[in-house]
Amino acid sequence: MTIPIVTLKQARRIAVDAQGLAAERREADVMGVARRLRCIQFDPINAVARTQQLVLFSRLGTFDTAELDRVLFEDRSLFSYWAHAASLVLTEDYAIHAHRMKSWPGDNGKWRTEVAAWMDEHKQAQRYILRELKTGPKRAKDLAHDSMKGWESSGWNANQTITRLLDFMWIQGRIMIAGRQGVERLWARSDLWFPPEVRARRMSHGAAVEQATIHSLRALGIGTKQHISRHFIEGQYPDLPKVLESLVKKGVVTEVAVKELPGRWYMLTKELDLIEATAKGWRGRTTLLSPFDNLIRDRARTESMFDFEFRLEIYVPKAKRKYGYYVLAILDGDRLAGRIDPKMDRTTNTLVVNAVHSEEWAEGNLAIARRARRSIEALAAWRGATSITYGRLPSSWAPAFDD
């Protein structure tokens, strides 16, 4: 059988299209995006908006963030759990995630063994937490217990005993995030939060890995074994080469080649029409991407496919940052053309763009610069900003920000 061959440009377009970031085949609402991506990373940093909101904005444009809370906490069509990071995942995928819940933390490595031992020391506290949550969702500070021993760490979570215990019980699927009171999470018992039919769903481990592989590949559009393994349920793909081989034999997955890149690449067979669609007539969009966006979260994949080096500088001292604190990438069609360092000043309702950076190949391209500016203006409008201020601009892009 002849292996389909795509160019690197086509591979990028397939990836962008699969993410719902192209001009066509876009989703209409939050659940449409969630079903396409299968997981949306969440994070509390709110420089402009939280990453889960930015991921949706990049694909939907202006949307009501209350819709996200509704599907999470009222409809319960999504729930918070660990995918390739702390993420919003589909309740319909509960049977896939249940395998991590049942096996975590396991005994694979020193840290996991220490967690298991620490959890054993806190069985009384866990029983207390579950008993307290019988009456309804509660904040972490409402669940502290005298028997809790300090969580020892050299990191940010040192001595965060109740927080760590709740996090570990969350990964085990025993409790869930049921809402927020201000900035604090509300915790609930999973057996009281989910409808019984959700928790009753069963899927063998093999079937779960196969389905997760399909979900991961659909979200990626095109990818290698390594890309698939780092997406969706990262670290939970045992025997992935055999799973891919089986899916290829079944005709669900097709092996493809990327002309300019090494390795064995794969696509879902039903998505192969994208090869022709991305060869001609494909239309992209210009939008801004969260640093945790699904398209660019795999930094090695981003560098090889987009020739774009992206690093988080949140924890880098300000004087040593190259681009900024919470940097958003500028997606222009199938290329990453630059990045911005924005901050929402909520006291003056101003979107402060501390810096705009262009990639070398995009320097002097005023058409891209104007599209980037319009994307920044769309972000500002969505966040309710009444003005935008700009700091450093690439000299070759400056005219696009002056007119």
Side-chain angles (χ1 to χ4, degrees), residues 3-69:
I3 295 177
I5 300 175
V6 301
T7 65
L8 180 55
K9 177 182 280 289
Q10 284 177 286
R12 287 197 301 264
R13 289 178 171 181
I14 290 167
V16 169
D17 197 287
Q19 284 285 306
L21 289 164
E24 298 171 357
R25 297 212 317 164
R26 293 175 64 186
E27 301 297 339
D29 55 26
V30 169
M31 285 305 297
V33 174
R35 286 198 173 93
R36 182 182 284 259
L37 303 183
R38 264 15 235 201
C39 61
I40 300 171
Q41 186 169 340
F42 67 83
D43 189 87
I45 295 174
N46 194 16
V48 178
R50 290 183 172 83
T51 184
Q52 59 269 32
Q53 297 169 337
L54 286 167
V55 167
L56 292 165
F57 169 74
S58 299
R59 290 153 178 81
L60 298 173
T62 297
F63 79 102
D64 184 357
T65 57
E67 182 187 352
L68 179 57
D69 288 340

Side-chain angles (χ1 to χ4, degrees), residues 121-126 128 144-150 161:
E121 291 179 16
H122 286 81
K123 285 183 177 179
Q124 182 182 353
Q126 292 172 59
Y128 171 79
H145 189 263
D146 292 340
S147 68
M148 293 181 183
K149 298 177 182 179
T161 306

Side-chain angles (χ1 to χ4, degrees), residues 216 220 223-231 265 298 301:
S216 180
L220 292 168
T224 65
K225 173 176 67 68
Q226 289 75 22
H227 299 159
I228 295 167
S229 69
R230 290 195 289 261
H231 199 71
W265 294 69
D298 184 337
R301 182 175 189 260

Side-chain angles (χ1 to χ4, degrees), residues 338-377:
R339 55 200 100 197
I340 69 169
D341 173 22
K343 172 74 175 177
M344 187 68 190
D345 185 337
R346 293 173 176 87
T347 60
T348 62
N349 251 16
T350 301
L351 179 65
V352 179
V353 182
N354 297 305
V356 177
H357 306 273
S358 66
E359 289 295 283
E360 186 176 346
W361 66 267
E363 289 178 2
N365 191 322
L366 290 181
I368 293 178
R370 290 189 184 97
R371 290 195 291 269
R373 176 182 172 177
R374 287 195 291 271
S375 293
I376 294 169
E377 290 170 347

Side-chain angles (χ1 to χ4, degrees), residues 99-149:
H99 291 279
R100 189 193 297 267
M101 296 174 185
K102 292 173 185 175
S103 63
W104 197 89
D107 56 4
N108 183 21
K110 182 174 181 290
W111 185 81
R112 289 176 181 270
T113 301
E114 289 175 352
V115 169
W118 189 80
M119 291 289 280
D120 280 343
E121 291 179 16
H122 286 81
K123 285 183 177 179
Q124 182 182 353
Q126 292 172 59
R127 287 192 293 269
Y128 171 79
I129 288 169
L130 293 174
R131 189 164 59 247
E132 287 296 299
L133 291 178
K134 274 188 176 182
T135 58
K138 289 182 173 59
R139 298 168 299 176
K141 63 185 178 183
D142 299 324
L143 295 168
H145 189 263
D146 292 340
S147 68
M148 293 181 183
K149 298 177 182 179

Side-chain angles (χ1 to χ4, degrees), residues 209-259:
V209 173
E210 183 174 285
Q211 190 59 60
T213 301
I214 294 169
H215 287 333
S216 180
L217 193 49
R218 186 192 180 222
L220 292 168
I222 185 170
T224 65
K225 173 176 67 68
Q226 289 75 22
H227 299 159
I228 295 167
S229 69
R230 290 195 289 261
H231 199 71
F232 189 37
I233 56 166
E234 184 173 7
Q236 298 285 304
Y237 292 96
D239 298 321
L240 182 56
K242 290 182 180 179
V243 172
L244 283 168
E245 183 181 348
S246 173
L247 289 171
V248 168
K249 286 181 179 178
K250 293 176 182 178
V252 176
V253 169
T254 297
E255 183 180 346
V256 299
V258 178
K259 191 178 292 185

